[in-house]
Amino acid sequence: DPLTIYGQRPQPEETPEFLSAKFAELEDELSKIPAEKKVGWISATEKCPALVAESHRLMFLRCEVFNVKEAAARICKYWDKRIELFGKVLAFKPLHVGGAEGALHENSENTKEDADRVRFTWKGLYLGFMRPTMTHDTGGRAIVFADPSAFKGYNHTSDERYGVARSTWYVLHNILEGNDTVQKLGVVVIAYPHHAKISYVDRKLMKMNMESITGCIPVRMGSFHICHPPWFFGNIIFPLIKVIMPDRMKKRIRVHSGSQEKVLDSLEKFGLERSVLPSDIGGDVILDTDGWLQECKKKGL
């Protein structure tokens, strides 16, 4: 069954009574967390109340399948991490590239520090390491394509690392916000490290991205499908992934090797048909990072 293929818990029916009760329970759970463990969350409720309205809280409830304790813990970690990555001004703006209010809008009023944050995030986005395909598997999960060979021109500086980490936040928020289906069902990542080199590996960035994806951003991770791994993957990358990835996620890694046809056949068993996969791995979807970003800018997303 495409819905249960990765052993994810099914979502309950969201009746108005159920949601109302869960929002109240979440509020109660958040109130029990000591102030020093929710500094970011308190700041967000004061500085950007519109951003933390019910639609925001609902993403965390859905991510944790309405386990309010887990959802409250994730919200607090999320806001601390968001402020760490985006700083004390941009963190409280919508994570959009378009519109004058967007955190990633190139705003002339930004301080030099914030202007640099925006610039390096755009650099990270144009690098194209992680991109939405705008397609879904047969279970309804959004597909995200990750290509580590994008790090060819990457210099391993702290600014670039944080820029890529922020770009990952942007990509996932772009997929999640306003999309009930993806909030409920989650995403699958198709990773294609075939052309990557050992020198591209940035352990600190891998750790940052993994922490954000598995513990902060309200995204349900269906699976990581690793296609055509290079020779060094087994003895260098995989052990690293195992150290930084939570146990429940380790069980959801699938590795696909062999000819292009063999890999495509293997992915199809997981509800990932050629028509929804990027052309980079033999699918029909042509990814246009620049076009997608310009479209997001135009629409104020």
Side-chain angles (χ1 to χ4, degrees):
D1 175 1
L3 266 177
T4 56
I5 195 164
Y6 303 117
Q8 287 175 294
R9 289 168 292 164
Q11 290 281 4
E13 192 192 338
E14 295 180 8
T15 63
E17 301 76 25
F18 174 78
L19 288 178
S20 168
K22 287 294 175 186
F23 281 128
E25 285 174 38
L26 179 63
E27 211 44 56
D28 185 46
E29 202 56 54
L30 284 162
S31 71
K32 291 180 197 162
I33 295 172
E36 67 275 11
K37 290 198 168 167
K38 56 178 176 188
V39 175
W41 171 246
I42 292 169
S43 298
T45 57
E46 290 165 359
K47 294 184 180 175
C48 55
L51 278 189
V52 296
E54 281 196 348
S55 59
H56 180 73
R57 298 168 199 227
L58 184 54
M59 290 200 291
F60 290 87
L61 285 167
R62 284 170 169 165
C63 174
E64 300 295 353
V65 198
F66 292 90
N67 177 326
V68 288
K69 204 175 174 65
E70 298 283 333
R74 187 179 274 258
I75 266 184
C76 295
K77 280 187 201 160
Y78 170 94
W79 277 100
D80 286 348
K81 182 61 73 178
R82 181 159 163 160
I83 295 163
E84 180 200 323
L85 289 175
F86 290 87
K88 287 180 178 166
V89 175
L90 302 181
F92 303 115
K93 293 182 171 190
L95 291 191
H96 297 164
V97 293
E101 276 310 295
L104 301 174
H105 172 69
E106 284 146 327
N107 187 337
S108 57
E109 288 169 23
N110 279 342
T111 61
K112 185 191 176 302
E113 248 184 329
D114 282 343
D116 281 347
R117 285 187 178 106
V118 172
R119 186 164 58 88
F120 280 104
T121 307
W122 273 97
K123 192 173 177 181
L125 286 166
Y126 278 124
L127 203 62
F129 161 58
M130 197 176 250
R131 294 172 284 172
T133 60
M134 304 305 186
T135 57
H136 302 82
D137 69 6
T138 52
R141 297 174 194 84
I143 300 168
V144 179
F145 185 62
D147 181 359
S149 73
F151 288 115
K152 191 176 179 183
Y154 171 83
N155 298 316
H156 295 269
T157 64
S158 177
D159 281 336
E160 292 203 359
R161 183 177 300 126
Y162 274 84
V164 174
R166 285 190 292 270
S167 75
T168 301
W169 274 60
Y170 176 73
V171 167
L172 291 172
H173 281 75
N174 182 275
I175 294 168
L176 285 164
E177 284 180 356
N179 192 325
D180 292 345
T181 308
V182 176
Q183 289 175 23
K184 289 176 186 178
L185 300 176
V187 308
V188 290
V189 174
I190 306 283
Y192 178 53
H194 186 58
H195 299 293
K197 294 188 163 59
I198 292 185
S199 59
Y200 302 172
V201 177
D202 182 340
R203 288 175 165 80
K204 286 181 185 167
L205 177 62
M206 281 176 73
K207 191 167 185 285
M208 280 167 85
N209 276 340
M210 194 60 73
E211 279 172 2
S212 286
I213 290 169
T214 59
C216 303
I217 299 169
V219 61
R220 296 189 78 191
M221 269 296 154
S223 181
F224 286 89
H225 290 276
I226 296 158
C227 304
H228 305 285
W231 63 269
F232 59 85
F233 187 83
N235 52 7
I236 293 176
I237 308 296
F238 207 56
L240 187 60
I241 289 175
K242 282 185 155 170
V243 170
I244 60 179
M245 192 179 262
D247 286 345
R248 66 189 158 82
M249 281 312 310
K250 286 175 200 165
K251 296 179 188 130
R252 300 207 183 133
I253 297 175
R254 303 286 185 277
V255 180
H256 308 269
S257 297
S259 67
Q260 190 176 78
E261 279 310 309
K262 190 180 168 196
V263 167
L264 289 169
D265 286 348
S266 177
L267 288 168
E268 198 172 338
K269 295 183 182 113
F270 292 92
L272 293 156
E273 293 156 358
R274 198 178 291 237
S275 60
V276 299
L277 294 169
S279 55
D280 309 56
I281 59 167
D284 299 337
V285 179
I286 293 166
L287 296 178
D288 170 14
T289 305
D290 296 9
W292 167 66
L293 286 168
Q294 291 319 315
E295 189 72 10
C296 291
K297 231 178 179 177
K298 230 174 19 204
K299 290 181 178 168
L301 295 171

